[in-house]
Each structure stands twice: as C-alpha cells, then as structure tokens.
Amino acid sequence: MSAAHQKPEMRAFPPLYSLQPVADTKAKQCELWAGIILEKCQGKKQWAVEVEDEVFENKEIKRKMSAADAQVVLEQLVSDGKAVWIKGSKTKCWVLWRPLDDWASDIYTLADEEGHIGSVCTIYELSEDSAKGRSWEGMPEEMIKVIIACLQKQGKAELIEMDEDGDGVKFL
C-alpha cells in the first residue's frame, strides 16, 4: 500500500468518530475529516461519498461515526466548496478534490482543442471517449453535468437535455 493510500494516523484516535460538543473542537474535527475524505477519494478516484461510507469507519479500533455526525461532516464539506450534494440527496455528495472551476477549465480546454466550440457533443462523449488520460477520466456522467453547470454559469456552455440518447452540451 502506498503512503497516499494508508490510513492517516489520526484515524486511530477513537474520539475522532464522535463529533465533540465544543465548537472549536468540532470545527477541527470536520477539517480533519475533510482531509481524510479528499485524500481517500482522490487516491482511489472515488467520486462520491455518503454518510454510510467506509471512510467513516475504522474496523481496527472498532469505531464508526454515526450517520448524523457524518452528515455534519458532509455538510461542512459542501459549505467549504469541497463537495456538491448529489441531486435530491442530503446524505450523498460528489467530492471535489480539485476546485470545480479547474475541472470546468479542463473540459472547456478539451472542447476548444477538439473543435467543439459552437457545436454539441454528448455527456457520454465527455465521460468516455474524450476522458482518456484526462483529469476527469472515470467521472460519472451526473458529476460531469455539475461541471457543465459551472461552465453554464460562466457563459461557456449550455446543457441540453435530450430524451433517451442522453444529455448533451453546447460549448459557447
């Protein structure tokens, strides 16, 4: 196991698994959990995390964070811009180990390089065909739509909802 995938030493500290009542301590715990989650997700290219995720458990010390406490940690991740709730959920979120704007820039650069500016391509093309060797390789289509929404806010793209053929994006 590489150093990047080893459990951080702090994970062996039992009180980490119960959010503490003192606000400063709780804030520090959430900060530690953010680091643990981001490192795990980036290392394993895991795009989403939920309140019942294995990251919130350490079987070696027989400790598991409650779903309610994990919810608080995820809410803080979202509040800090390091995660985005998955549509319709407040228990599962997309993890942003890179800033959303960075992924948006990467996708827009690809669109420019491949001559997609002013034309339409499918989300499938972005998630499969064009993703090989790119920062978003393996990213689920639903998360790519979150990035397209970021590009849409920047005036660089428009999400096009299609029927059974999947959704598309027009780069502007």
Side-chain angles (χ1 to χ4, degrees):
M1 186 183 296
S2 73
H5 293 110
Q6 290 178 353
K7 291 180 183 173
E9 189 75 27
M10 196 64 196
R11 299 244 3 242
F13 187 58
L16 181 67
Y17 296 85
S18 300
L19 289 181
Q20 302 302 304
V22 177
D24 288 343
T25 306
K26 183 189 278 186
K28 183 65 177 167
Q29 275 183 288
C30 286
E31 184 180 314
L32 287 168
W33 276 110
I36 291 167
I37 292 166
L38 293 171
E39 181 179 338
K40 176 197 183 242
C41 289
Q42 183 174 14
K44 292 185 172 189
K45 275 213 160 185
Q46 177 180 334
W47 304 102
V49 69
E50 58 188 308
V51 295
E52 294 294 333
D53 196 279
E54 67 180 9
V55 73
F56 295 114
E57 182 175 10
N58 185 334
K59 292 179 182 175
E60 294 168 11
I61 63 167
K62 298 181 177 131
R63 295 292 295 191
K64 181 177 181 180
M65 181 174 268
S66 72
D69 284 354
Q71 173 75 29
V72 171
V73 170
L74 293 183
E75 286 173 358
Q76 189 61 51
L77 264 180
V78 170
S79 176
D80 292 344
K82 295 178 180 168
V84 176
W85 292 118
I86 291 178
K87 197 174 194 175
S89 174
K90 289 290 186 182
T91 59
K92 188 174 183 180
C93 55
W94 299 118
V95 177
L96 308 173
W97 63 79
R98 295 181 68 208
L100 196 55
D101 286 340
D102 288 358
W103 270 318
S105 177
D106 289 352
I107 288 178
Y108 194 78
T109 297
L110 169 88
D112 188 35
E113 289 171 357
E114 294 191 354
H116 292 305
I117 305 299
S119 64
V120 176
C121 67
T122 65
I123 301 296
Y124 176 83
E125 287 175 284
L126 292 174
S127 68
E128 297 294 327
D129 301 340
S130 298
K132 303 276 190 271
R134 306 281 185 159
S135 64
W136 69 92
E137 183 175 6
M139 184 181 286
E141 288 185 29
E142 291 302 313
M143 188 170 175
I144 290 176
K145 289 180 189 178
V146 171
I147 295 168
I148 299 304
C150 179
L151 285 169
Q152 196 164 345
K153 286 179 186 171
Q154 297 171 5
K156 295 181 176 180
E158 182 180 334
L159 183 63
I160 300 168
E161 294 184 17
M162 298 186 219
D163 293 330
E164 59 230 26
D165 293 333
D167 294 334
V169 59
K170 180 176 183 178
F171 291 100
L172 309 171

